[in-house]
Amino acid sequence: MSDIMKTKEVGRSVNKLDGLSLASGAARFVADKVPPDVLYGAILTSPHAHARIKSIDKTEALAVPGVKVVLTYRDVPRVAHTTAGQGFPEPSPYDTFCLDSKVRFVGDRVAAVAAETPEAAQEALRRLRVEYEVLPAILDPRDSMKPGAPVIHDEPEARVIIPIVYEPQKNLVARATAHMGDVEAVFKECDVVLEGSYHFSQCQHCPMEPHVCFTELDELGRLTIHTSTQVPFHVRRITAARMQLPVQKVRVIKPRIGGGFGAKQEVLIEDLCSALTLATGKPVLLEYTRAQEFISSRTRHPQYINVRMGAMNNGDLKAIDLRILMDCGAYGAHGLTVVSNSGSKNLPLYRWKAVNFLGEVVYTNLPLGGAYRGYGATQSYFATECLLDELAAKLGLDPIALRQRNHVRPGESSPIFEALGEGKAGVPQTIDACGLPECLIKGAQAIGWNEKHGKAAMQTGVTRRGVGMCALMQGSSIPEIDMGSCYLKMNEDGSFNLQMGATDLGTGSDTVLSQIAAEVLGCATEKILPYSSDTDLTPFDVGAYASSTTYLTGNAVINTATKVADQIRGVGAEMLKVPVAEVRLEDSCVVAADGRKVTFEQVGIYSLYEKNQFQIQATGSHVTHKSPPPFSAHYAEV
Amino acid sequence: MRIELTVNSETKYFRTSPDEKLLELLRRYGYMSVKKGCGEGTCGACTVIMDGSLVNSCLVFAPMAAGRSIVTVEGLGTVNDPHPYQEEFVKAGAVQCGFCTPGMILAVKSLLDQNPDPTDLDIRQALDGNLCRCTGYVKILDAVKNIIAREHEEARGGKA
């Protein structure tokens, strides 16, 4: 705590560095950057939940004035991939194609066009003649594994690239399990055992800016992708593979982003936009409408959840059996990892003596799930926290007291951390800090829990007011997998360029990471010029997901800024003619023990122009070895 | 066809067609603060002020705007010379991804032009056509209250 109190820039309420740019309308988002000769892309989507394409006649579509190209599955490389914007090797199955001869949900891609006007593109879509052979569809995940169910991924290419459970012939996308102790035996010893079944349905992220991508060929013939993404480096890798281009031939630029919430952790339209540019040689803009966001984008994975909990009369929680059937939709993106997080972010929160966890993920012919903030934890907590409230009522305990009695304490661990990883074994970890007790009390005070809780039962009528609460645990980054890095250089006026692969999508990470750099450098945050992200200009970062940027990239910034601070101290000491150990950095100055100082501006000019010249600069990376869980308590009055 | 339009106090001729939306016309001419979020009048990202009234420019055919006066957020202030409303939005932390911000600020301007002393309910009602997905609206409401306080202070001759 004392370290936190000593900071000057971290913890200072600074204005968002891009705030005025956004508020004045100067900030450029993807669709604000297109050249006047841009072609407009449009996608024909499937009206059927499950069908084979028997034929596509594009003659009439191509005859529409202004139409430049029509692409079908015959015109693009057939490369099985995943749209999940995850690190390599992705723990999601390779079961998706840029365009395919089979469609697997209403809204799946059939064909794409590029035309000189949006109207011509839409007219071309209307004139495409497609003949389908309609197949039986699965519209309920509880039917997916029944004998005789239609096989949604019968193509030979469907596969996983790491050793995980994947049985497409049974429509099984993934299975995650974890066990601790003998759950059934412990249930027998419990005073109370409760069971509940829950269904969590689809929802859509609805970022204010829908998915949008603009591609062009640069003067060297390289494909440049300007895209609204959380994961520019994964976009580069995955799109290059899909287009059968070397990574060297692809550049991805992320300008300002109008929110993502997980929806833009998906490499969703970059491939098709690129294919249209590669086919025409022209810049192409492809943007989803709001309706397409609902139909053809991603959702939060629906889950059917069955929970059993056992406890003693004194309120001690003993055993939990959590079984999840997750609807992945038509493709397997994020299937394994979302359901794993339903277990790994939930089960360590309370001190269970015995745990049984089963998560099964299945294909259906419905719109597919993807990353959605909370990433699986949201769904399972909905079920377990509801049942915990019922348990509290049964035991005659206040719901808050039940949670206070049982939540994990600092210094404790859970075998679940190790049992449930993200495509490989998890990483054991001990809870270093837990602010949940404070959250529980503050929330209760803020909402007036003691006055309001339980009073709904005494009200009459259909409409009543009541309060409710739940406790949650999350993580910060994926341990031993996620890596972030940055580059920092000093200018002659004492300002710094901070270039990061990390992706500010409205989260403010450009500002937060600049504060961290400024803290280490001993200057004001406003002296930092953050830039993110451009795969040609900024170093690698896995991207903005898994609640990781401040922790992961923040540590990379500390590493980097520490190296730059050392260089500044070295130059300053040389100028002040004192040993480097005797100087410190403060308020954009190098200060000697006797109080003499040189400013960062003087250091900058000296290092670039005067003597022993060199560029003060450094790069640094950080890979995370743990995923420190933040805890929270939520209260609502409805 | 060609129409005469005043945008941010500048009167010019604009080329358009009968079926073009004002949103598309403004963006084609470089007023990129006017954002397309839904294209059907629900999100407010394309909000502009037309002859003093707040409109969703995605629902206005460009020829219907002929002869009218349009204000976009570019007309309020710039990065280097911001309008107090833009400053207060930034100071209050009311700008996150910023996609809704231009429309939101124009909605605030429209409200305060007509009612310099709105109640909390007036503010909420005035902003209900402008959706924000990032902030949860609390800091936007803070920003509006700070703007009102600042204007009252300035009206009393105090220092801003």
Side-chain angles (χ1 to χ4, degrees):
Chain A
M1 205 63 182
S2 59
D3 281 349
I4 295 170
M5 301 307 285
K6 275 191 289 186
T7 60
K8 284 179 89 168
E9 292 301 309
V10 172
R12 178 165 77 91
S13 182
V14 302
N15 286 341
K16 200 168 180 291
L17 295 177
D18 54 352
L20 275 178
S21 168
L22 291 159
S24 66
R28 287 292 176 260
F29 295 72
V30 173
D32 304 337
K33 301 186 359 162
V34 297
D37 64 336
V38 75
L39 299 178
Y40 296 86
I43 308 171
L44 182 72
T45 57
S46 169
H48 301 295
H50 199 194
R52 275 185 210 290
I53 297 171
K54 290 168 74 176
S55 66
I56 304 180
D57 183 353
K58 40 185 184 177
T59 322
E60 279 187 52
L62 283 168
V64 176
V67 170
K68 294 295 176 192
V69 70
V70 178
L71 298 179
T72 73
Y73 67 92
R74 294 181 195 279
D75 308 307
V76 295
R78 184 173 174 82
V79 179
H81 63 263
T82 175
T83 57
Q86 301 174 307
F88 182 82
E90 304 91 341
S92 295
Y94 281 15
D95 61 358
T96 312
F97 303 88
C98 179
L99 291 164
D100 196 1
S101 58
K102 191 179 182 190
V103 288
R104 299 175 180 85
F105 69 102
V106 174
D108 206 355
R109 298 164 167 194
V110 175
V113 304
E116 286 170 351
T117 64
E119 294 76 19
Q122 290 302 320
E123 183 59 25
L125 295 188
R126 280 191 287 274
R127 294 194 186 199
L128 276 168
R129 299 282 168 264
V130 188
E131 208 182 335
Y132 297 97
E133 176 196 347
V134 177
L135 302 171
I138 303 172
L139 302 177
D140 186 325
R142 293 167 295 187
D143 296 335
S144 297
M145 302 244 284
K146 284 183 180 165
V151 177
I152 295 172
H153 285 274
D154 51 358
E155 69 279 6
E157 296 97 331
R159 66 187 188 280
V160 285
I161 59 166
I162 54 171
I164 49 179
V165 175
Y166 179 59
E167 297 174 27
Q169 291 303 317
K170 295 182 185 167
N171 293 317
L172 181 67
V173 178
R175 183 185 289 127
T177 56
H179 307 283
M180 177 179 113
D182 184 341
V183 167
E184 296 304 328
V186 177
F187 276 148
K188 286 199 183 91
E189 295 162 11
C190 289
D191 296 324
V192 181
V193 177
L194 283 188
E195 181 168 2
S197 293
Y198 303 85
H199 177 220
F200 199 108
S201 66
Q202 286 175 336
C203 33
Q204 219 280 326
H205 318 63
C206 293
M208 289 302 294
E209 176 200 40
H211 283 84
V212 53
C213 179
F214 145 54
T215 50
E216 60 184 341
L217 297 177
D218 72 7
E219 57 264 47
L220 297 174
R222 296 169 75 220
L223 176 68
T224 306
I225 303 172
H226 308 256
T227 184
S228 182
T229 184
Q230 298 174 220
V231 287
F233 284 88
H234 297 336
V235 168
R236 182 177 67 169
R237 188 189 77 247
I238 292 171
T239 310
R242 280 187 224 173
M243 295 295 109
Q244 295 182 319
L245 292 171
V247 163
Q248 185 184 352
K249 283 279 189 189
V250 181
R251 175 183 186 182
V252 177
I253 297 171
K254 173 219 74 90
R256 293 293 90 192
I257 300 301
F261 314 105
K264 292 174 183 170
Q265 198 198 329
E266 207 72 3
V267 187
L268 193 64
I269 55 173
E270 290 87 351
D271 61 335
L272 214 42
C273 198
S274 299
L276 291 168
T277 281
L278 292 168
T280 57
K282 298 275 190 193
V284 174
L285 174 70
L286 186 61
E287 47 186 341
Y288 268 6
T289 62
R290 181 60 60 194
Q292 282 174 304
E293 284 293 316
F294 286 100
I295 297 165
S296 300
S297 174
R298 297 292 179 261
T299 73
R300 197 194 287 287
H301 289 96
Q303 293 186 349
Y304 284 90
I305 306 167
N306 196 76
V307 200
R308 284 190 298 158
M309 283 179 184
M312 306 311 286
N313 280 333
N314 67 1
D316 283 346
L317 297 179
K318 288 293 182 187
I320 183 167
D321 180 20
L322 176 61
R323 290 164 192 261
I324 297 173
L325 175 68
M326 184 167 101
D327 176 6
C328 215
Y331 297 91
H334 300 273
L336 172 70
T337 43
V338 164
V339 88
S340 295
N341 275 280
S342 295
S344 65
K345 297 289 186 283
N346 180 316
L347 297 166
L349 178 57
Y350 300 111
R351 299 146 132 180
W352 305 106
K353 300 290 174 270
V355 170
N356 186 40
F357 173 72
L358 170 67
E360 283 191 317
V361 185
V362 294
Y363 285 126
T364 62
N365 292 108
L366 292 165
L368 51 151
Y372 194 136
R373 56 196 210 178
Y375 205 75
T378 317
Q379 293 96 313
S380 69
Y381 270 121
F382 163 66
T384 55
E385 290 292 295
C386 281
L387 192 63
L388 211 57
D389 273 3
E390 289 185 39
L391 194 60
K394 185 96 179 174
L395 295 168
L397 283 172
D398 183 273
I400 301 172
L402 182 63
R403 289 164 173 89
Q404 283 169 328
R405 185 180 180 95
N406 289 286
H407 73 76
V408 68
R409 273 29 180 200
E412 295 176 353
S413 184
S414 165
I416 299 298
F417 286 124
E418 200 170 351
L420 288 172
E422 301 215 2
K424 55 184 184 183
V427 176
Q429 60 176 7
T430 304
I431 304 294
D432 292 333
C434 174
L436 187 56
E438 204 180 338
C439 295
L440 287 167
I441 290 167
K442 279 193 172 174
Q445 286 168 346
I447 205 161
W449 180 264
N450 290 337
E451 300 81 62
K452 291 175 181 167
H453 177 248
K455 302 293 192 292
M458 295 172 211
Q459 298 166 23
T460 54
V462 181
T463 309
R464 305 181 193 189
R465 291 188 78 82
V467 289
M469 58 80 59
C470 71
L472 299 171
M473 188 193 91
Q474 254 294 339
S476 315
S477 73
I478 314 174
E480 306 299 346
I481 290 179
D482 285 347
M483 190 273 277
S485 57
C486 67
Y487 166 65
L488 183 67
K489 85 171 201 286
M490 187 185 196
N491 301 310
E492 66 258 48
D493 64 346
S495 66
F496 298 86
N497 295 103
L498 176 62
Q499 289 166 225
M500 302 164 287
T503 318
D504 189 334
L505 56 149
T507 45
S509 65
D510 281 357
T511 303
V512 167
L513 295 167
S514 294
Q515 285 179 275
I516 294 174
E519 185 66 46
V520 176
L521 293 168
C523 67
T525 300
E526 291 76 8
K527 290 288 181 189
I528 311 289
L529 297 161
Y531 179 69
S532 71
S533 335
D534 176 334
T535 57
D536 271 11
L537 304 179
T538 57
F540 181 87
D541 193 290
V542 287
Y545 57 84
S547 308
S548 64
T549 303
T550 302
Y551 177 64
L552 178 74
T553 313
N555 273 303
V557 170
I558 291 173
N559 294 346
T560 308
T562 302
K563 293 178 198 170
V564 168
D566 285 346
Q567 294 173 26
I568 296 171
R569 265 193 292 272
V571 174
E574 183 178 313
M575 294 169 74
L576 292 162
K577 299 189 171 50
V578 294
V580 72
E582 290 178 15
V583 298
R584 65 178 195 280
L585 305 184
E586 196 177 283
D587 297 331
S588 281
C589 290
V590 184
V591 185
D594 60 8
R596 287 182 305 125
K597 58 174 86 167
V598 287
T599 65
F600 279 10
E601 191 174 345
Q602 289 168 316
V603 169
I605 290 169
Y606 183 90
S607 66
L608 292 177
Y609 297 111
E610 289 180 12
K611 201 176 167 197
N612 301 325
Q613 292 93 326
F614 74 109
Q615 171 68 61
I616 293 178
Q617 60 180 338
T619 61
S621 305
H622 183 72
V623 61
T624 161
H625 303 296
K626 55 183 175 182
S627 177
F631 296 86
S632 61
H634 296 245
Y635 288 80
E637 180 171 10
V638 288
Chain B
M1 63 188 291
R2 206 172 67 143
I3 59 170
E4 192 184 79
L5 204 61
T6 303
V7 183
N8 300 332
S9 308
E10 195 183 350
T11 305
K12 287 193 297 196
Y13 285 105
F14 295 80
R15 277 179 296 102
T16 185
S17 57
D19 60 351
E20 186 172 44
K21 302 288 171 47
L22 181 59
L23 163 67
E24 305 299 341
L25 175 136
L26 290 170
R27 289 185 57 82
R28 225 162 25 78
Y29 278 86
Y31 300 98
M32 292 299 183
S33 72
V34 189
K35 303 296 183 199
K36 183 178 176 183
C38 70
E40 53 189 37
T42 39
C43 77
C46 68
T47 299
V48 298
I49 295 174
M50 183 162 82
D51 282 352
S53 297
L54 212 57
V55 296
N56 286 313
S57 61
C58 71
L59 296 183
V60 177
F61 285 107
M64 290 164 60
R68 308 236 198 180
S69 176
I70 308 289
V71 178
T72 73
V73 91
E74 285 103 339
L76 266 62
T78 62
V79 185
N80 291 323
D81 184 19
H83 186 275
Y85 293 3
Q86 292 163 330
E87 288 179 341
E88 293 301 333
F89 260 67
V90 174
K91 277 192 207 164
V95 180
Q96 285 193 23
C97 86
F99 201 79
C100 72
T101 308
M104 197 72 79
I105 289 176
L106 291 174
V108 173
K109 177 174 165 50
S110 175
L111 167 70
L112 298 182
D113 283 351
Q114 289 160 35
N115 177 6
D117 203 10
T119 63
D120 284 3
L121 184 65
D122 292 337
I123 298 170
R124 284 166 182 262
Q125 283 175 342
L127 297 184
D128 78 352
N130 293 76
L131 302 183
C132 170
R133 180 70 171 90
C134 298
T135 60
Y137 301 100
V138 172
K139 291 186 174 180
I140 292 174
L141 296 174
D142 289 348
V144 180
K145 287 174 199 163
N146 293 344
I147 288 168
I148 295 165
R150 178 169 169 170
E151 294 203 324
H152 284 189
E153 181 117 348
E154 283 169 10
R156 283 199 305 271
K159 198 160 164 277

